Amino acid sequence: MKIYLMRHGETEYNRVGRLQGQSDIPLNEFGIQLAEKTAEGLKSVSFDAVFSSPLQRALETARIVSGSRDVKVETDERLKEIHFGAGEGARFDEAKKDEAHPVHNFFCNPGCYVPKGDAESFDQVRERGKSFLEDKIFPLEAKLTAEGTTLHGSENGNVLIVAHGAFNRCILNRIAGIPDREFWTINLPNCAVSILSLEGGELRIVEASRVYYGTPVNGRP
């Protein structure tokens, strides 16, 4: 099975450098265009299932990319972006300059990031990502393997998952063995698609952070 793990298109918060977290910010016009170009780049891929974060920037991206395919977009709360609590809405530049800011280490020293209040840690995000994969994706791979067929004619089964920058990095970093202190190693622009293979319950990164448009935008905060 191949998993297409995708980040949503651009929002106004992305454009001006503000932290979104679980704030429900929609795509801007450019973000819609990026999703449409990505849909064109993936038009030959048949998806057996499509999953999305319920936050509208991800869900709208998933609907654009899935297009007219005969497959329902299923939302899952576990795919939401990391929650920053009181830090949501913060400007990147201000948080980076102020060592006392609650999300300063998230940007500048992620190996020492400790969430404040009801904000989430990297471990909490990884755990809900793991829960989602074990609940929704691994059983689907086992089912398709046992049946020797796919739902929509793809060779080995393809799944689209549309989520968020920090969430996707938590998944990719765990697979690649990247420690939290190097959290920003993988550049993930808006609408970046990372292709994973899943076989026998083992995940492998085939290609990280592919874009289907021109110059990548908002790859790192």
Side-chain angles (χ1 to χ4, degrees):
M1 175 185 285
K2 284 186 179 178
I3 298 169
Y4 292 74
L5 180 63
M6 182 179 176
R7 186 186 175 201
H8 59 80
E10 188 188 74
T11 69
E12 281 304 296
Y13 269 33
N14 290 145
R15 189 183 67 82
V16 301
R18 296 180 75 93
L19 204 58
Q20 293 179 110
Q22 294 186 5
S23 300
D24 201 5
I25 312 301
L27 297 180
N28 60 20
E29 186 60 36
F30 184 54
I32 293 171
Q33 292 173 14
L34 296 184
E36 290 172 345
K37 290 178 181 178
T38 304
E40 178 66 18
L42 293 172
K43 66 181 180 181
S44 64
V45 180
S46 298
F47 292 120
D48 296 280
V50 178
F51 298 93
S52 174
S53 159
L55 297 176
Q56 58 182 317
R57 59 190 184 270
L59 183 55
E60 187 173 5
T61 301
R63 286 172 173 161
I64 291 170
V65 174
S66 61
S68 60
R69 294 176 180 85
D70 183 22
V71 58
K72 179 184 176 182
V73 178
E74 180 178 341
T75 60
D76 195 296
E77 293 285 324
R78 292 169 291 187
L79 296 177
K80 281 184 175 180
E81 179 62 298
I82 187 172
H83 182 44
F84 294 106
E88 297 198 358
R91 297 190 67 91
F92 297 169
D93 52 356
E94 294 174 359
K96 289 177 182 179
K97 292 175 184 176
D98 181 3
E99 293 185 3
H101 197 285
V103 292
H104 173 80
N105 282 344
F106 174 77
F107 293 115
C108 301
N109 191 8
C112 295
Y113 175 60
V114 177
K116 304 290 180 64
D118 61 349
E120 283 185 298
S121 67
F122 293 131
D123 281 342
Q124 287 175 303
V125 178
R126 280 190 287 264
E127 282 306 304
R128 57 181 169 88
K130 180 174 179 284
S131 171
F132 168 79
L133 290 170
E134 290 178 345
D135 182 35
K136 296 291 186 178
I137 305 303
F138 291 177
L140 180 59
E141 188 260 345
K143 176 178 182 290
L144 297 179
T145 299
E147 292 178 350
T149 60
T150 60
L151 301 177
H152 296 282
S154 51
E155 183 179 354
N156 298 305
N158 297 313
V159 174
L160 174 65
I161 301 172
V162 182
H164 306 269
F167 178 91
N168 288 5
R169 281 187 179 89
C170 284
I171 299 296
L172 295 168
N173 288 353
R174 169 172 273 184
I175 296 170
I178 297 172
D180 286 345
R181 67 178 180 275
E182 300 170 12
F183 186 77
W184 302 106
T185 296
I186 298 176
N187 190 37
L188 282 182
N190 288 120
C191 283
V193 179
S194 296
I195 303 173
L196 315 177
S197 70
L198 174 61
E199 184 173 359
E202 294 294 322
L203 283 165
R204 181 174 63 87
I205 299 174
V206 176
E207 183 176 4
S209 197
R210 181 175 181 178
V211 296
Y212 295 84
Y213 55 91
T215 303
V217 293
N218 305 309
R220 291 188 179 92

